[in-house]
Amino acid sequence: MTALAAVPATDRRQVRLAPRGLTWAVLRLHRTALYLWAAGLMAVTAGLVWAYILREAALADMGACGLPGSSLSDCSTIQTITADDTYREIMEMIAPGITFVMVPVAAWAGGALIGRELESGTARLAWTQSVTPMRWLAAKLAVPALLLTAGITWAVLLNNWALANGNRIPTNDWYHPTTYASTGPVAVAYVLAGLALGALAGLVTRKALPAAGVAFAATLVFYIVLTQYRPSLWPADTVTGPTALNLPPDAAALEHGAVTTTGEHVGNNFACVGSDSAADVRNCMERSGLTDFWATYHPRSHFWPLHLVETGIVLAVAALATATAFWLLRRRTA
């Protein structure tokens, strides 16, 4: 009793604030993954801070540009000549890292977080130590979910900070898959979905290696499928006339075509686009039975609607996978 009374109040407060119970067990058991996660975040932070410092140099020689055939210099030519290669390489390397971190997270969740403990029997041992299976799984998911959400949110915010004035910076366009996913909340949603799908794979297979492989494949396929259907998540804009032949440089063009005399929209018809003058274009259109041109595209203003719809879908999948994992565990341990 004397020894306990002699402990300073600050020390007792630190003990109360330190992680305990299942939280401490998860952190300690998976400390290697925690160290790797912290090291990865530090590397991303250092890279993006360096890119921010180089950004002004990358912008210094960038002039006004446009599409080929316009009165302005071709954007791709200017970017090739004047872009700061180091800046572009850093940004184009970090964006895929933020985007695809969900895949190793899923493999780790399936193999190490859940599958290995079920295979080795340590999970059942924990359940005999006054820890219910539901509480065990909740801790297994809650602790990494909190750390992953905080880390990816930090990386996305820092990435956007380094990409400020992005409409003039020579990197991938906003609709490029990795640039798109690494600059908004969908990055966090994909990581949480990877965690949930990995946990579900671990509970289904109950073996480390099969669970890691299934989780890896399932998460990657899920991302690829949703990326394929991404343009359909929000209504695209359709324009006709000269605007259809000169879309904004930052537009995500989906389809071009021509309108026939019957009013039919024919896709990928550029029969008269290469004509030299407006009169040549009109004559060509009359000979070809065309009356106008059309184009369907996503303007840059659709970034947030597309992002929010996709984020909602991914979070719904994550919630469904999590609920299924709890249902499966309850059924097996009832």
Side-chain angles (χ1 to χ4, degrees):
M1 295 294 292
T2 305
L4 290 175
V7 176
T10 55
D11 291 345
R12 291 198 299 271
R13 186 161 53 250
Q14 290 175 359
V15 170
R16 286 197 299 269
L17 293 176
R20 294 178 294 174
L22 284 175
T23 300
W24 172 247
V26 173
L27 291 174
R28 182 169 179 80
L29 183 61
H30 301 283
R31 59 186 179 275
T32 301
L34 178 62
Y35 296 154
L36 290 174
W37 178 242
L41 285 179
M42 287 190 290
V44 168
T45 300
L48 289 174
V49 170
W50 186 20
Y52 180 82
I53 294 172
L54 295 174
R55 191 184 67 183
E56 293 306 316
L59 289 170
D61 296 325
M62 287 293 292
C65 62
L67 295 174
S70 68
S71 59
L72 300 173
S73 300
D74 181 13
C75 289
S76 61
T77 303
I78 289 181
Q79 291 172 4
T80 301
I81 296 174
T82 64
D84 187 289
D85 290 336
T86 303
Y87 174 87
R88 186 173 64 245
E89 289 171 1
I90 293 173
M91 300 307 298
E92 293 180 356
M93 179 176 60
I94 288 177
I98 297 175
T99 301
F100 292 109
V101 71
M102 60 183 168
V103 176
V105 164
W108 169 78
L113 188 68
I114 303 296
R116 187 178 64 186
E117 293 204 31
L118 291 175
E119 183 178 12
S120 64
T122 55
R124 289 196 173 276
L125 178 61
W127 301 341
T128 63
Q129 305 296 318
S130 71
V131 176
T132 65
M134 297 298 105
R135 187 183 169 201
W136 171 84
L137 182 57
K140 285 288 183 181
L141 293 177
V143 175
L146 180 61
L147 295 174
L148 289 169
T149 299
I152 292 298
T153 300
W154 167 255
V156 168
L157 292 176
L158 204 60
N159 188 48
N160 287 335
W161 173 67
L163 273 174
N165 299 318
N167 58 327
R168 295 194 296 127
I169 287 181
T171 56
N172 289 326
D173 295 308
W174 66 269
Y175 51 84
H176 187 277
T178 56
T179 302
Y180 172 90
S182 64
T183 51
V186 76
V188 179
Y190 272 116
V191 170
L192 294 178
L195 177 66
L197 291 172
L200 179 59
L203 286 167
V204 169
T205 63
R206 291 186 284 184
K207 292 186 180 297
L209 288 179
V214 170
F216 184 100
T219 305
L220 187 58
V221 169
F222 172 58
Y223 170 79
I224 292 173
V225 169
L226 206 50
T227 300
Q228 186 71 25
Y229 288 96
R230 180 174 292 157
S232 303
L233 298 180
W234 190 260
D237 290 349
T238 299
V239 293
T240 58
T243 306
L245 301 177
N246 191 25
L247 296 176
D250 59 356
L254 302 179
E255 193 175 5
H256 293 80
V259 182
T260 66
T261 53
T262 61
E264 181 184 2
H265 283 58
V266 181
N268 298 320
N269 188 326
F270 298 98
C272 303
V273 173
S275 302
D276 294 332
S277 64
D280 292 335
V281 172
R282 286 194 298 270
N283 292 333
C284 177
M285 292 176 68
E286 291 176 0
R287 292 193 305 270
S288 304
L290 304 177
T291 60
D292 209 346
F293 297 101
W294 63 274
T296 302
Y297 72 103
H298 280 298
R300 190 183 183 92
S301 60
H302 285 189
F303 173 85
W304 278 110
L306 287 167
H307 236 286
L308 294 177
V309 171
E310 185 170 353
T311 299
I313 294 173
V314 177
L315 288 178
V317 171
L320 179 61
T322 302
T324 304
F326 276 98
W327 171 82
L328 183 61
L329 182 61
R330 184 189 300 275
R331 181 179 179 182
R332 286 180 175 173
T333 58

